[in-house]
Amino acid sequence: MNKLLPALLLSAMIVSLTINACNTSPKPAVPYESLSENERHDLSHAIEGLEVADGLEITMFASENTFLNPTNIDIDARGRVWVCEAFNYRNALNPTNPVRKEGDRILILEDTDGDGKADKETVFYQGNDVNAALGISVIGNKVIVSCSPNIFVFTDEDGDDKPDSKEVLFTGIGGVQHDHGAHASVLGPDGKLYFNFGNAGEKLQDAAGNLITDKYGNKVEATRQPFQEGMVFRCDPDGSNLEVVAWNFRNNYEVAVDAYGSLWQSDNDDDGNKGVRINYVMEFGNYGRNDEMTGAGWQKPRTGMSDDISTRHWHQNDPGVVPNLLQTGAGSPTGILVYEGDLLPEVFHNQMIHCDAGPNVVRAYPVENAGAGYTASIVDIVKGKDNWFRPSDVCIAPDGSLFISDWYDPGVGGHQMGDTLRGRIYRVAPPKSKYQVTPPDFSTPEKAAEALKSPNVATRALAWQALHGFGESAEPALSNLWQSENPRYRARALWLLTKIPGKGQAWVEKAIADSNSDIRITGLRAARQLGMDIASLLYTLSKDENPQVRREVAVALRHYTGADKAQIWTTLAQQYPQGDRWYLEALGIASNPDPDAVYAVWEKTVGDSWNTPANKDIIWRIRAKAAIPKMGEIIAASPSSAAATRYFRAMDFHTDKSKNQVLEKLVFGQHPDQEQIGYLAIRHMDYGYVKSNAKVRGVLNNLLTERKGTDEYLDLIESLSMADKSQELVELALTEGSSAKGVRAAQLVRQFQQLPLFQPYLNGKDEKQQIAAMIALNHAGSDQALDMIQTVITDEKRPPGIRRAAVQYMGRGWSGENRLVAMLKEKALSPELEKAAATQLLSVYRKAYRELAAEVLHISDNDMAIPSIDELVTQEGSLENGKIVFGKYCQTCHQVKGEGINFGPDLSEIGNKLSKSALYGAVFNPSAGISFGYEAYLFTLKDDSKLLGYIFSEPDDKVDVKMMGGTVRSLAKSEIKSREMQEQSLMTEGLARVMSVQEFVDLVEYLSSLGKEPAAGI
């Protein structure tokens, strides 16, 4: 037995979970650990490759003998498993994968003889319009399928398991077959439809292609007005009354809704940053993927940014960002649900169950209340010893058992698929639990109310529809359910009771008076949905003893327009427990759209007692104009500049110009750390204000002198466009070379149109300075800079080594590569320089240029031939040598544990995510699976120079482009003529041909070890 989990404190008892390998097949003759990798992938060893929590058994329900590559599943009220296949997943990017011309299938898998295995397969629908669909939800006779850019509704009118109609519910969601696009929908306990899309979704349109406006008048598009990045939605089943519930996620793959109407989901980080998170979705919350005000990415420097990557990644230090519930490290999160059944062990009751396909695991996250929010821990349910186990979705059957779909692949999506021939669905339940499902009866209110207790969402959906249709006659049966000892049954009943015509007010009042805080929360949510006059409810609950109830009152205030809003807000704010970020963000959500009005009443109420730790938090969070002077006072009284940074950062979220006067006062203050306070004050002023204020400019000049050559020095010069500092920048660029400061300095010289200042150094006698000047000009990256480098190449009086260096620096960039190729074709280079140019071009982005270079160097395809992946995967390499190979070929673009260049994804955990097969494939054909956010763009500037890289960040007026080598160039949008996304990865496919076969094997051996226990000496 392998102990995978520490003891977990739950319900005042210690619950120890031991992981067992539960295999229903005979004990194998060969231990699983002794099997070869290819043997482990055989279906006969599938169960052996999985570990399951104590008290549970895992069995195979269906496999590749029936279907292939499941991306998403649902289970209907009859216990049948509906499957989205992905045979045609992104095969245009991987031409070696086969194509099913008829399109992918929506399947129904059924166990007709009760042996726990599917024995009947029905094709519900097939077509290229559902290729690699990422979501399916069965709601009565309607099947909702999410397949970007569309969300379809199929209707089976006659019950023959074939759709009689297909309609588009929503469209315009990102690109075709995008993993970060549309995801599965789910019917909530309120009868509403919930769904989400990731940060490639961009917008939501109706079936006619019209941009949707939500019920509060906001256009549903990622333009920060106010929405951006990934979003969560709620609407009526027909798509009307749509609300954007929360936003600013990266790839929030699915949303789970519990009986009280609380929302839970996961979110994936930028690859390699160990920042996967689990969120409680507070309504109308911003979740911090990008800067709320500018749209800048998380790596963009900002005041007060955390050293901890996961905190920095989600802007957790910024006012206006809802906190994360849980960080789970590196991964590729997929399907999620809330288990409201009782068949599984008690530790899983009423908890989230979630797939993370990256680390090959299905987990639960037991949640406990903590102030106005929650805390959570991690309990593994199923863990793959076979690292091709890729759980893509989880679903609960009517009997309460857990079903897991396994995409089964050497990789994990990311727009590539290494295996097209497999796919599995498992059932997890207590040992010896037979899979038996009795079809539910909805013929009477009593029977429908009984069905409403089901742990299966599809069954509850049918029960909800039946009970809602019964109207007032359902009240007795629902009233009986309301008396249950199970609060989740009571909440389900309440949602329906409040929707009985004429009965809503009375049932809401009962709920508000209930002793259970979750029921009180549900009552308030139901009242909001009914459009009731909630003034009295808000007044009563604003004094509730439970902070979560008060949090919900704050959320309800967001769109409340009553004259007493400011007074209710003040009542809530006076009860804020200092340090409860959930409560604080709820207050911030409530203060919109008029923070000035609520702040005025609060400020008058607290009077001279405003300067407490709790009240200073409120001032930090709220966006009221009158809070700005108070922040100035707090900064002035801070014990250190470090303690003041959070308030300087908060200034960035205020647009009122009065903040400049407050900041100017701080510039001339008497703080013990006055120099740093003055620097921060100037940094957060508006550009125009500093330029026009001679007194402030005097302080600025002193700061520049004292901080010359530092990042702060460059920050000031850039933000204030100080072209008069160009000579100092040239000297810094020459000294710092390819460091971040050197690159930045060179680019600022270009921005200020002062590149000729490098000419004296380029023409001087000091060869080191000549090289330094060429490095700086290469980083400046303009046609003028290339002209200057080219004069060195063509100057026959220059030393050969300097001319070879000029060729090297000329060839580091799109436009420079063009010039080298032209010189090769025109035979304008000496044999020595021709060889240098071809060597430089051998590993560039464009294949045609690489082929030309190989021709010049007389390298044939046979010279670069390497074995197939199937052959390579059987070979064992050297970890020690693999680390050396990584340093030689890969460290110029990737980091491992902080070492290397931060350009491509961090690879510190890659061995936990990709198998050896997938690693070989990623090097062979990197364009088959480009990590989202790392797509190559070719920028053409107005001076006709070109720049290749990926978009690192995109604030309002700039595009920050990260280029090979990890340097970042900020382009003003006004200087960009065009941008074009490239289909090819920035990682060239020729890398595998540059190294020897043994080096390749050693490299993959090393990569596959990353994230695991290191071998001795590595």
Side-chain angles (χ1 to χ4, degrees):
M1 294 185 178
N2 298 318
K3 295 276 189 180
L4 292 189
L5 299 166
L8 174 69
L9 180 62
L10 188 67
S11 304
M13 295 180 65
I14 301 295
V15 180
S16 179
L17 289 180
T18 304
I19 302 298
N20 279 330
C22 292
N23 189 353
T24 56
S25 59
K27 186 175 180 179
V30 179
Y32 183 80
E33 288 70 22
S34 299
L35 297 173
S36 70
E37 181 164 345
N38 285 336
E39 288 172 329
R40 292 183 184 192
H41 303 324
D42 191 271
L43 185 61
S44 62
H45 296 293
I47 296 296
E48 299 165 53
L50 302 173
E51 298 174 324
V52 64
D54 189 41
L56 292 171
E57 177 182 59
I58 187 164
T59 56
M60 183 77 71
F61 179 77
S63 67
E64 48 260 35
N65 297 326
T66 307
F67 69 97
L68 299 166
N69 308 321
T71 57
N72 204 253
I73 59 174
D74 198 10
I75 302 177
D76 66 20
R78 293 160 56 186
R80 304 184 304 169
V81 180
W82 295 63
V83 184
C84 294
E85 277 190 318
F87 188 83
N88 286 343
Y89 176 72
R90 304 290 286 193
N91 44 35
L93 290 177
N94 194 340
T96 61
N97 285 348
V99 176
R100 182 187 283 152
K101 293 181 180 179
E102 300 81 6
D104 278 337
R105 303 183 298 175
I106 306 296
L107 299 176
I108 308 171
L109 306 181
E110 187 174 0
D111 172 16
T112 64
D113 57 10
D115 67 351
K117 297 180 181 179
D119 50 57
K120 180 180 179 182
E121 169 193 337
T122 302
V123 178
F124 176 75
Y125 181 81
Q126 183 171 17
N128 285 297
D129 51 352
V130 295
N131 281 343
L134 293 184
I136 185 166
S137 180
V138 182
I139 305 174
N141 67 346
K142 296 187 181 298
V143 180
I144 303 177
V145 176
S146 301
C147 188
S148 292
N150 301 307
I151 297 179
F152 297 110
V153 178
F154 295 91
T155 304
D156 177 9
E157 299 284 3
D158 54 11
D160 64 349
D161 292 333
K162 301 290 181 184
D164 298 296
S165 65
K166 180 188 76 173
E167 299 173 298
V168 173
L169 184 64
F170 298 111
T171 191
I173 304 169
V176 176
Q177 277 204 46
H178 207 298
D179 296 0
H180 291 229
H183 297 130
S185 60
V186 61
L187 192 74
D190 51 0
K192 294 277 189 176
L193 195 67
Y194 292 81
F195 65 101
N196 57 20
F197 63 51
N199 62 338
E202 297 182 353
K203 63 183 179 297
L204 201 63
Q205 298 173 334
D206 63 20
N210 302 307
L211 185 66
I212 289 175
T213 300
D214 75 0
K215 65 182 292 184
Y216 305 112
N218 302 303
K219 293 180 178 179
V220 184
E221 57 182 344
T223 57
R224 297 198 313 283
Q225 302 295 325
F227 312 131
Q228 64 173 316
E229 301 291 292
M231 306 178 201
V232 185
F233 305 98
R234 172 172 56 215
C235 63
D236 291 342
D238 64 359
S240 61
N241 293 314
L242 184 128
E243 301 170 80
V244 181
V245 180
W247 53 92
N248 211 357
F249 301 93
R250 182 174 184 262
N251 192 24
N252 41 327
Y253 200 86
E254 283 187 352
V255 61
V257 190
D258 67 20
Y260 308 117
S262 296
L263 277 60
W264 313 85
Q265 65 178 21
S266 65
D267 194 12
N268 196 9
D269 65 343
D270 285 351
D271 286 347
N273 289 286
K274 300 178 72 173
V276 172
R277 60 177 175 172
I278 307 298
N279 291 121
Y280 162 68
V281 182
M282 191 186 299
E283 291 184 52
F284 315 121
N286 162 45
Y287 278 79
R289 156 65 175 162
N290 279 350
D291 187 294
E292 176 188 349
M293 304 300 287
T294 69
W298 66 273
Q299 296 187 64
K300 186 76 172 177
R302 57 190 182 274
T303 300
M305 66 190 294
S306 174
D307 291 334
D308 173 64
I309 289 180
S310 61
T311 301
R312 189 192 323 163
H313 197 296
W314 304 115
H315 287 82
Q316 292 286 284
N317 290 350
D318 284 355
V321 176
V322 179
N324 295 328
L325 170 63
L326 183 68
Q327 298 282 161
T328 62
S332 299
T334 47
I336 192 170
L337 57 82
V338 176
Y339 182 71
E340 295 183 332
D342 56 16
L343 180 68
L344 302 185
E346 187 175 358
V347 68
F348 305 119
H349 293 186
N350 303 318
Q351 305 300 339
M352 282 177 279
I353 295 178
H354 175 238
C355 302
D356 197 327
N360 326 104
V361 68
V362 177
R363 306 177 174 124
Y365 305 118
V367 170
E368 295 183 4
N369 294 337
Y374 309 91
T375 60
S377 53
I378 299 175
V379 178
D380 287 356
I381 299 176
V382 177
K383 184 76 175 72
K385 291 185 289 184
D386 178 358
N387 63 2
W388 282 33
F389 172 58
R390 303 294 183 185
S392 57
D393 199 15
V394 281
C395 197
I396 301 301
D399 70 340
S401 58
L402 174 70
F403 279 69
I404 301 167
S405 61
D406 177 9
W407 193 51
Y408 203 78
D409 197 82
V412 57
H415 298 165
Q416 69 174 326
M417 178 168 60
D419 179 273
T420 62
L421 303 177
R422 297 178 178 92
R424 289 128 194 214
I425 294 177
Y426 300 98
R427 178 176 179 262
V428 177
K432 311 301 181 184
S433 297
K434 291 187 175 181
Y435 187 44
Q436 295 179 337
V437 177
T438 302
D441 188 341
F442 309 103
S443 61
T444 68
E446 291 73 22
K447 291 177 179 178
E450 186 64 28
L452 194 63
K453 298 178 181 179
S454 175
N456 172 253
V457 175
T459 303
R460 296 201 302 267
L462 285 169
W464 198 98
Q465 291 175 341
L467 289 161
H468 190 56
F470 285 128
E472 191 171 352
S473 65
E475 187 172 17
L478 289 168
S479 182
N480 286 337
L481 190 57
W482 165 257
Q483 303 300 322
S484 170
E485 293 183 358
N486 186 325
R488 293 183 184 246
Y489 292 171
R490 297 183 66 216
R492 292 176 196 168
L494 178 64
W495 285 111
L496 280 155
L497 286 163
T498 61
K499 294 181 186 293
I500 296 175
K503 302 287 186 175
Q505 181 80 35
W507 280 105
V508 165
E509 290 176 358
K510 286 184 181 181
I512 295 303
D514 199 86
S515 60
N516 185 304
S517 60
D518 287 321
I519 296 297
R520 299 199 295 278
I521 288 172
T522 306
L524 179 56
R525 289 171 175 169
R528 287 169 50 208
Q529 280 197 17
L530 291 171
M532 288 174 50
D533 181 357
I534 59 173
S536 62
L537 304 181
L538 296 177
Y539 177 77
T540 298
L541 294 179
S542 67
K543 301 176 181 179
D544 197 282
E545 64 181 7
N546 187 287
Q548 293 181 345
V549 174
R550 300 200 303 275
R551 174 203 74 210
E552 210 60 30
V553 173
V555 170
L557 282 177
R558 168 78 171 206
H559 298 292
Y560 179 70
T561 57
D564 54 350
K565 175 176 179 175
Q567 187 56 59
I568 295 171
W569 190 91
T570 297
T571 299
L572 293 171
Q574 287 182 289
Q575 300 170 82
Y576 161 64
Q578 199 271 329
D580 188 337
R581 185 67 181 274
W582 304 88
Y583 199 117
L584 185 62
E585 287 306 324
L587 288 174
I589 289 168
S591 68
N592 283 345
D594 190 2
D596 293 317
V598 299
Y599 182 83
V601 173
W602 174 82
E603 185 179 41
K604 183 177 181 181
T605 302
V606 300
D608 293 338
S609 64
W610 68 269
N611 202 12
T612 66
N615 288 341
K616 286 193 284 187
D617 280 354
I618 290 171
I619 290 168
W620 171 80
R621 171 59 183 90
I622 200 166
R623 308 286 169 78
K625 176 181 177 181
I628 297 173
K630 288 288 194 294
M631 280 200 287
E633 291 184 50
I634 294 169
I635 291 170
S638 296
S640 67
S641 60
T645 54
R646 74 188 298 249
Y647 296 97
F648 278 115
R649 175 60 175 158
M651 291 286 191
D652 292 337
F653 296 86
H654 287 268
T655 57
D656 192 88
K657 299 299 182 182
S658 65
K659 72 178 181 182
N660 291 303
Q661 286 81 27
V662 172
L663 291 166
E664 181 182 359
K665 187 176 180 181
L666 291 168
V667 172
F668 301 102
Q670 301 297 319
H671 196 277
D673 193 5
Q674 182 55 40
E675 182 181 320
Q676 185 67 9
I677 290 292
Y679 161 76
L680 289 168
I682 291 176
R683 280 283 291 116
H684 288 270
M685 285 184 192
D686 290 338
Y687 163 73
Y689 189 84
V690 176
K691 294 278 282 187
S692 62
N693 190 312
K695 192 176 177 183
V696 174
R697 286 272 297 191
V699 176
L700 170 62
N701 288 331
N702 289 335
L703 286 170
L704 288 169
T705 300
E706 293 163 358
R707 301 182 184 218
K708 187 175 180 179
T710 67
D711 287 326
E712 292 174 342
Y713 167 85
L714 291 169
D715 288 342
L716 289 168
I717 290 176
E718 182 176 9
S719 62
L720 300 173
S721 297
M722 302 182 71
D724 56 317
K725 298 293 180 181
S726 292
Q727 183 59 45
E728 292 181 10
L729 291 170
V730 166
E731 293 166 5
L732 184 63
L734 294 171
T735 303
E736 290 289 335
S738 292
S739 72
K741 285 190 287 188
V743 172
R744 226 177 136 191
Q747 291 178 0
L748 284 171
V749 175
R750 174 195 57 80
Q751 183 178 315
F752 298 150
Q753 300 182 8
Q754 298 295 318
L755 288 177
L757 291 174
F758 283 108
Q759 197 68 56
Y761 304 96
L762 199 63
N763 294 339
K765 295 182 179 180
D766 187 328
E767 291 191 6
K768 288 184 178 179
Q769 284 204 333
Q770 292 179 50
I771 296 291
M774 286 189 285
I775 291 172
L777 289 167
N778 170 257
H779 291 314
S782 69
D783 272 358
Q784 184 182 14
L786 291 175
D787 287 343
M788 294 169 72
I789 295 174
Q790 191 163 347
T791 61
V792 177
I793 298 174
T794 57
D795 186 353
E796 296 180 357
K797 296 180 181 179
R798 302 263 188 174
I802 291 295
R803 296 178 71 193
R804 284 196 302 270
V807 168
Q808 179 184 0
Y809 294 113
M810 171 72 81
R812 292 182 177 181
W814 191 277
S815 296
E817 291 168 16
N818 288 344
R819 293 194 184 207
L820 283 187
V821 167
M823 294 170 90
L824 284 174
K825 290 181 176 179
E826 293 166 5
K827 302 295 183 182
L829 298 172
S830 67
E832 184 180 12
L833 292 182
E834 187 177 79
K835 183 178 179 181
T839 301
Q840 179 65 30
L841 293 168
L842 195 61
S843 58
V844 299
Y845 181 75
R846 284 170 281 187
K847 185 177 181 180
Y849 286 10
R850 297 198 304 272
E851 290 174 345
L852 173 63
E855 183 181 332
V856 171
L857 295 171
H858 306 293
I859 300 173
S860 69
D861 287 342
N862 289 334
D863 294 329
M864 300 186 288
I866 48 181
S868 69
I869 291 178
D870 286 342
E871 294 177 76
L872 288 168
V873 81
T874 64
Q875 300 183 34
E876 291 189 14
S878 162
L879 277 175
E880 185 173 355
N881 191 53
K883 187 175 183 180
I884 295 171
V885 174
F886 179 85
K888 181 179 179 182
Y889 294 110
C890 309
Q891 218 167 19
T892 54
C893 289
H894 297 282
Q895 287 188 328
V896 168
K897 298 178 182 178
E899 294 185 9
I901 301 297
N902 181 11
F903 176 66
D906 190 299
L907 301 181
S908 300
E909 301 285 324
I910 197 67
N912 272 335
K913 183 173 180 179
L914 298 184
S915 66
K916 283 187 177 180
S917 299
L919 290 168
Y920 280 118
V923 180
F924 264 128
N925 187 12
S927 298
I930 304 170
S931 294
F932 186 60
Y934 292 92
E935 297 91 343
Y937 280 85
L938 179 63
F939 290 85
T940 302
L941 307 186
K942 289 184 178 177
D943 67 356
D944 287 328
S945 63
K946 296 183 185 293
L947 179 72
L948 182 72
Y950 66 83
I951 297 174
F952 174 71
S953 178
E954 189 165 0
D956 287 329
D957 58 346
K958 293 182 179 180
V959 180
D960 297 325
V961 182
K962 184 168 271 195
M963 301 176 294
M964 299 292 284
T967 60
V968 177
R969 179 167 166 185
S970 291
L971 301 175
K973 289 185 177 176
S974 59
E975 66 175 317
I976 299 173
K977 181 186 291 186
S978 66
R979 67 169 96 175
E980 182 181 355
M981 190 167 79
Q982 308 295 294
E983 292 185 359
Q984 184 182 323
S985 169
L986 283 164
M987 176 179 167
T988 64
E989 59 205 41
L991 179 61
R993 299 179 182 277
V994 175
M995 62 185 83
S996 70
V997 173
Q998 189 58 52
E999 284 180 319
F1000 196 10
V1001 172
D1002 292 343
L1003 172 65
V1004 169
E1005 193 74 37
Y1006 169 68
L1007 293 174
S1008 67
S1009 76
L1010 295 176
K1012 303 172 184 176
E1013 289 295 321
I1018 299 299

